[in-house]
Amino acid sequence: MTKHPTRILVIGGGCVGLYAAHRLQRRLRRELKRGDVTVTVVDPDPYMTYQPFLPEAAAGSISPRHVVIPLRRILPRCRFIPGEATAVDPEARTVTVRTLATEEAGAEPLSLGYDHLVLAPGSVSRTLPIPGLAEHGIGFKTIEEAIGLRNHVLEQLDIASSTRDPAIRDAALTFVFVGGGYAGVEALAELEDMGRYACRYYRNIRPEEQKWILVEATDRILPEVGEQMGQYAVRQLRGRNIDVRLNTLLESCENRTAVLSDGARYPTRTLVWTAGVKASPALREWDNLPLDRRGRLRCTADLRVTGHTRIWAAGDAAAVPDLTAAENGSGQSTAGAEPALCAPNAQHALRQGRHIADNIVAVLRGGTVTEYRHRYAGSVASLGLHKGVARIYGRNLKGYPAWLVHRAYHLSKVPTLNRKARVLAEWALAGLFKREIVSLGSLEHPRAEFELAAGENGRHPESH
């Protein structure tokens, strides 16, 4: 009887899935070539988005195609299936996958077997039942949302410059961002830079007419960089006439009016929601796996799903114990409290993906798995062109040095030499030439003009 190859199945092509599969194909090069091992990656999108570059892509500093990493190119020894996992059966060791092809053909979903399963479905935006948010809010988690937001902001400048109605003009020039974490602060700072620069091409719009508002529910922004640097970031933003409102909630955005808990009301055509993320809702459909109260997979310190020796998980969708916090005496604040968990950020996701791959290789070769430990090196954040804050190994940096560290760090972490070279080249060219200020909003509906033309032709049969 012929023995089938060891099947490693990776669900999710984000940061964890990409780095895990890439490490596996490098460390199992001989086994993959002989056919002793197969690695399959399943994800709806054929690319991984390097999210720390989204703010710069939105501001036009980086081309959108250089923010995404094609999975088929970086994982040539792995099989890629564009689809979505809908069910996991640990007893049968199978995963049910729905693909576009099976949906269009009305066929049964695929059933993929595995010997080792890596679950990394990632996260989605965490929203609240705020009136009007679903109708008017704009997310900032995908490359499509980032470029859509860029187009939207430039379109608002077009609207403001071409209307005589002061109410429409004021709403078009008011930009509200909700959430004072990395995504919200960096997106607002980069786009404010872009909006101020763009005003030189709109003779009837002055930069000071734009209202940029940051709404944060807590008493600080960018908590990862420390209290001192967080306060500096607030001062720096306010020095640019950005209205930073701490301890404030968004209560409603119906009728294109942002209503805040402090009583302020802002008519606005732009409301960007960046108030955190939550684990992929797909996890709740897999009701045979243990979840914590936040809907994340419960994991042990070696990155296995609790109670399952052949299922591994990491990233935003996994509750991974932070052993370094426990060693420092901060792993458990009070009696009975849950232990500290690794934060859902790219720094952990990248390292956890590699650690899963190393543990799987250890199992295949009869070695010993190890627990995930990572001492937090620090955090960096951009506040726009040539501006930033950072806390590296306990040392604070601000301004231009912090901005340089931010760029250097993320350039070193973006996958493939190809992407590093392209991003570096774009940064160099951006320093030599003026910023591109053009809206390509029609890309969101590319068939609109043809549909209109076809519709007109249908109403006039005699036209040729």
Side-chain angles (χ1 to χ4, degrees), residues 322-331 375-376:
D322 187 347
L323 298 184
T324 58
E327 292 166 357
N328 293 333
S330 59
R375 292 192 179 277
Y376 204 58

Side-chain angles (χ1 to χ4, degrees), residues 3 16-17 35 65 131 149 152 181 205 212 216-217 235 270 315 330 338 345 365-366 379-380 396 403 422 438:
K3 181 182 177 182
V16 172
R65 67 183 184 277
L149 179 58
H152 175 84
I205 299 179
W212 295 84
E216 168 54 36
R235 293 194 302 270
T270 308
S330 59
E338 292 186 359
N345 57 40
R365 295 178 176 173
S379 299
V380 292
N396 293 331
W403 176 78
R422 290 178 182 273
V438 59

Side-chain angles (χ1 to χ4, degrees), residues 297-319:
L297 290 161
R298 292 186 181 274
C299 295
T300 56
D302 59 7
L303 302 181
R304 284 184 170 114
V305 173
T306 303
H308 300 272
T309 60
R310 292 175 177 266
I311 302 180
W312 313 76
D316 295 353

